[in-house]
Amino acid sequence: KSINHLNKDRMRDTLLVPILHTHSTNVSQLDGEGIKYHRALERSVNSLIDNLLITTPMDIYIFMKERHMAGAPGWLMNITSNMTNPNVTLTLLPINEAAFQTPHHLLRPRDMGWSFGFEGEYRMMGDWRLTFQPAFAREMGYQYVLQYDSDSCIGRPAKINLVSFMRDNKLWLANNPWFFNELDGYFVGLPELTAFWLRTRGRKPVGCIFDYTRPHDLSGLMSMANGSSAGHNPEGWTGWQGYMLSGHFMVMDLDWWFDRYMQDYVQLVVRTGAHIEHRWNELSVQSMMWQVFVPEQHFHSFKESEIEGHHGRREFGGWGRH
């Protein structure tokens, strides 16, 4: 085989782990909260190498602001310089900061009704994951990508090769075993846009979406009414429940993601700009895609006996174990 062929085969059998870390890594410049994020990133990367590499070849890309690249910490540079295992690479890449700014010229003015909370970079992280992350992975030749926060971690040695597990079981999407009901302000308009897409494309859901709507049909695919969250008002709500994937440890098959219908839906979402304005981010959109476009046999919720992925800042007084 040619070198290009060999590289392509390697990429298809290797898990891509892109980590977006927008905080400074220069410890001397960090406050208490910044130190938590910094230590979480350290644990995040080390847990991949200690607990996932034993089963799964992977390429880790850490995307940072260019001005932070020169201040990359010693522990990170030591990992990259001492990497001898052929089944893993770790690469630091700069993000395009101009493209990571909220594109106000493309969006409505904020006084026309943006959803509340989580401003600026957090919202652009969602756009990055819907647009750049899968496009980068596809262009590089990977089939499977692990969506993994810079404060995620793997709690114990994995028992499965994630790539082989996904491929052998014909899985399109797999998530850690934690789900939640989102506040309705963070997905307002998305159900209506999805119903519009289904009607205008003449498609029917193949997933579990109507398990999470009231009524349990297309008429229930609307923004939630009578409750800020289904968890807060379990009896009275109507519309889409806003039942979410955790999103911080999720594996997706890019052959599924780049299906023509998946891309038509994602591009419709992105063109509205509402994933930014209404803080749908990637999580509400990906959760909707799971429920509309993924049949039950192609979705998996990881068991802790297979792999334990969760947020990593619990050791530093932050997140709970989930």
Side-chain angles (χ1 to χ4, degrees), residues 16-23 25 41-42 44-46 48-49 59-65 69 72-73 75-77 79-80 89-95 128 136 148 150:
L16 174 66
V17 188
I19 301 175
L20 179 64
H21 188 76
T22 58
H23 305 274
T25 55
L41 175 64
E42 182 178 6
S44 178
V45 173
N46 283 328
L48 285 169
I49 295 171
D59 292 335
I60 305 167
Y61 284 85
I62 301 178
F63 292 87
M64 307 170 65
K65 293 180 178 178
M69 296 285 288
W75 64 262
L76 190 54
M77 302 312 296
I79 291 176
T80 58
T89 65
L90 192 154
T91 305
L92 306 183
L93 287 179
I95 59 174
W128 188 89
F136 173 82
Y148 188 79
S150 64

Side-chain angles (χ1 to χ4, degrees), residues 30-45:
L30 299 177
D31 58 14
E33 186 68 9
I35 290 291
K36 288 182 180 179
Y37 276 107
H38 179 79
R39 296 306 178 200
L41 175 64
E42 182 178 6
R43 174 167 169 76
S44 178
V45 173

Side-chain angles (χ1 to χ4, degrees), residues 245-257:
L245 302 161
S246 59
H248 56 255
F249 192 91
M250 181 174 69
V251 185
M252 65 185 74
D253 179 353
L254 293 175
D255 289 347
W256 165 74
W257 182 268

Side-chain angles (χ1 to χ4, degrees), residues 298-311:
H298 294 299
F299 176 77
H300 182 71
S301 179
F302 290 118
K303 301 177 179 65
E304 288 198 354
S305 59
E306 296 165 344
I307 188 164
E308 183 184 303
H310 47 75
H311 266 129

Side-chain angles (χ1 to χ4, degrees), residues 36 129 188 205 265 271 311:
K36 288 182 180 179
R129 282 182 164 176
V188 62
Y265 177 77
R271 285 197 300 271
H311 266 129

